[in-house]
């Protein structure tokens, strides 16, 4: 049985999170799976034109050129080896290969790790407008619900309003926030915040950063400094650095990801605004080109609209048409 049939069976009765994936990925699904279906209906048997069109569909869903070319080659090889000419079966193999393409890049461990007595420090980076602040609030909400004591640190002292925005979320979530004066050194704000969180016995500290990309050298030294001072206060911290990417920016998001990966050691990516794009393939592109796992995805603007990334649910959301 191919993955596609497996997913249909697995999610026959949808739970709440699968429901959210399905709903949030509706636009991507309409774009991708209906094109696949349409293609398989137009051809009786596959030929070179079929594969060309298939490749085009992949590229249009933003999986990245490399990924698309590799996958098509794999599918083509298998179709030749096994003499498969049925379009439907070819599409099944395609989805199988998409799964393997993601999964083969390494372990999948989404949730943050916690060690009793030591706060987990999560550094959040990303350019303006991608949904950084919202994602921080969503992550805080998630871990508060898991019984963790969470604190926020507003180390984006560069952008006017960034601190205020995060403060509003902290009030809404009823948690502590550490802030600094406008234009204060982000590293000193981060240091003070992490120190305070440690003293308060927090389990999780989420640090918002300015993440300006204008000059890589500055960004690199700023992030390195923040990491250094945090590490002085809590050994091994920051344990995680998440890059936030806006799915609606398409291949531009992949370019951002590459730039950030060059200046700092990313342990995860969060893709936001999946609900606002028809090109949900960006997750495969990011994984393919950076190897970094996508750990959470944003499927809406509300606090609850953050889901742990799940490859099955994602591919279900992208590929399986609603009955
Ligand atoms: N639809 C949708 N909107 C989102 C999502 N995440 C963030 N946003 C919206 O994107 C806009 C920018 O978010 P913000 O957190 O301020 O971005 P920041 O500048 O990176 O901190 C806001 O209007 C958010 O409500 C998401 O997953 N889905
Ligand atoms: Mg912000």
């Amino acid at each position: 049985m191919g993955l596609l049939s497996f997913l249909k069976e697995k999610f026959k009765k949808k739970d709440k999170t699968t429901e959210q994936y399905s709903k949030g990925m509706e636009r991507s699904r309409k774009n991708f799976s209906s094109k696949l279906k349409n293609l398989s209906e137009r051809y009786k048997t596959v030929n070179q034109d079929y594969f060309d069109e298939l490749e085009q569909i992949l590229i249009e869903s933003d999986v990245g050129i490399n990924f698309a070319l590799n996958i098509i080659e794999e599918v083509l090889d298998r179709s030749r080896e096994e003499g498969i000419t049925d379009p439907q079966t070819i599409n099944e193999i395609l989805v199988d290969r998409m799964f393997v393409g993601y999964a083969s890049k390494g372990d999948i461990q989404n949730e943050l790790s916690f060690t009793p007595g030591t706060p987990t420090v999560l550094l959040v980076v990303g350019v303006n407008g991608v949904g950084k602040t919202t994602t921080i609030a969503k992550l805080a909400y998630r871990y508060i619900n898991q019984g963790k004591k969470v604190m926020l640190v507003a180390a984006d002292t560069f952008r006017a309003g960034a601190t205020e925005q995060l403060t509003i979320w902290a009030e809404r979530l009823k948690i502590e926030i550490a802030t600094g004066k406008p234009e204060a050194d982000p590293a000193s704000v981060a240091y003070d915040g992490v120190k305070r969180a440690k003293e308060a016995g927090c389990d999780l500290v989420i640090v918002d950063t300015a993440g300006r990309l204008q000059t890589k050298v500055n960004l690199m030294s700023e992030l390195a400094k923040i990491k250094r001072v945090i590490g002085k206060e809590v050994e091994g911290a920051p344990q995680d650095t998440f890059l936030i990417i806006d799915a609606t920016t398409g291949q531009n998001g992949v370019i951002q990801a590459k730039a950030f990966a060059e200046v700092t050691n990313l342990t995860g990516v969060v893709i936001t605004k999946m609900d606002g794009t028809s090109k949900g393939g960006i997750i495969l592109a990011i994984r393919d080109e950076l190897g970094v796992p996508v750990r959470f995805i944003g499927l809406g603007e509300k606090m609850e609209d953050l889901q742990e990334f799940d490859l099955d649910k994602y591919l279900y959301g992208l590929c399986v048409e609603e009955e």
Side-chain angles (χ1 to χ4, degrees):
M1 180 165 64
L3 181 68
L4 211 50
S5 323
F6 169 79
L7 293 177
K8 272 183 202 158
E9 195 54 37
K10 178 173 174 181
F11 297 122
K12 218 176 192 168
K13 246 191 102 216
K14 291 197 208 96
D15 58 15
K16 230 179 108 202
T17 62
T18 313
E19 201 76 67
Q20 203 176 26
Y21 264 87
S22 267
K23 197 159 166 284
M25 292 190 63
E26 203 171 337
R27 295 175 65 176
S28 291
R29 178 168 56 253
K30 286 228 167 87
N31 183 31
F32 186 72
S33 80
S34 52
K35 279 186 192 162
L36 273 192
K37 189 163 169 240
N38 175 285
L39 182 64
S40 66
E41 283 167 359
R42 279 191 288 115
Y43 286 77
K44 257 196 142 69
T45 58
V46 299
N47 55 18
Q48 189 55 46
D49 287 347
Y50 188 89
F51 284 103
D52 288 347
E53 287 203 47
L54 204 53
E55 186 179 294
Q56 195 56 35
I57 293 173
L58 278 173
I59 290 170
E60 281 166 10
S61 74
D62 258 344
V63 300
I65 304 274
N66 276 338
F67 190 82
L69 294 179
N70 287 337
I71 292 275
I72 291 297
E73 203 175 290
E74 286 173 11
V75 179
L76 205 76
D77 283 350
R78 247 197 82 190
S79 101
R80 283 194 185 127
E81 272 164 28
E82 300 178 24
I84 301 166
T85 58
D86 166 44
Q88 205 87 39
T89 313
I90 292 295
N91 291 359
E92 286 261 352
I93 297 171
L94 177 82
V95 179
D96 285 0
R97 299 317 302 173
M98 286 164 77
F99 178 91
V100 174
Y102 187 99
S104 65
K105 290 274 174 172
D107 287 347
I108 300 172
Q109 136 75 5
N110 296 326
E111 293 284 4
L112 296 171
S113 300
F114 296 95
T115 316
T118 308
T120 294
V121 182
L122 168 64
L123 202 61
V124 178
V125 301
V127 303
N128 203 356
V130 291
K132 218 150 39 95
T133 306
T134 314
T135 302
I136 290 171
K138 287 173 175 174
L139 283 166
Y141 177 75
R142 178 181 189 86
Y143 288 104
I144 291 167
N145 282 339
Q146 292 182 17
K148 304 294 180 201
K149 186 168 179 182
V150 182
M151 189 166 141
L152 305 181
V153 179
D156 178 0
T157 54
F158 179 76
R159 211 172 338 122
T163 299
E164 287 75 8
Q165 204 194 351
L166 202 63
T167 304
I168 293 170
W169 278 111
E171 282 166 6
R172 233 181 267 176
L173 292 160
K174 300 188 175 60
I175 56 175
E176 293 281 310
I177 178 166
T179 60
K181 292 201 173 64
E183 313 264 323
D185 177 18
S188 82
V189 179
Y191 177 80
D192 290 342
V194 169
K195 188 165 185 282
R196 232 179 87 191
K198 190 179 154 190
E199 284 161 5
C202 289
D203 304 297
L204 174 62
V205 194
I206 310 179
V207 184
D208 189 15
T209 67
R212 283 159 288 152
L213 255 185
Q214 281 83 340
T215 58
K216 275 191 201 166
V217 180
N218 283 353
L219 177 64
M220 192 184 311
S221 61
E222 187 171 300
L223 290 176
K225 191 175 171 194
I226 293 177
K227 286 188 174 187
R228 203 164 55 238
V229 299
I230 291 174
K232 267 189 197 154
E233 193 52 37
V234 175
E235 212 193 309
Q239 292 87 339
D240 274 295
T241 303
F242 282 4
L243 171 68
I244 315 300
I245 297 282
D246 177 344
T248 65
T249 59
Q251 290 303 303
N252 218 328
V254 181
I255 294 166
Q256 280 167 30
K258 281 185 182 161
F260 273 94
E262 274 173 33
V263 301
T264 193
N265 178 30
L266 301 173
T267 61
V269 169
V270 180
I271 306 281
T272 61
K273 311 185 197 179
M274 272 305 274
D275 54 307
T277 182
S278 58
K279 300 184 166 195
I282 187 177
I283 288 186
L284 297 169
I286 297 263
R287 175 75 161 174
D288 183 55
E289 300 197 26
L290 282 95
V292 179
V294 174
R295 298 183 56 169
F296 294 93
I297 69 175
L299 295 155
E301 291 187 276
K302 296 195 301 294
M303 254 191 294
E304 312 83 55
D305 296 337
L306 183 84
Q307 285 291 341
E308 181 184 346
F309 179 67
D310 180 289
L311 191 52
D312 279 359
K313 285 177 189 158
Y314 165 69
L315 288 174
Y316 178 82
L318 187 64
C319 306
V320 181
E321 275 201 281
E322 312 276 81
E323 304 281 291

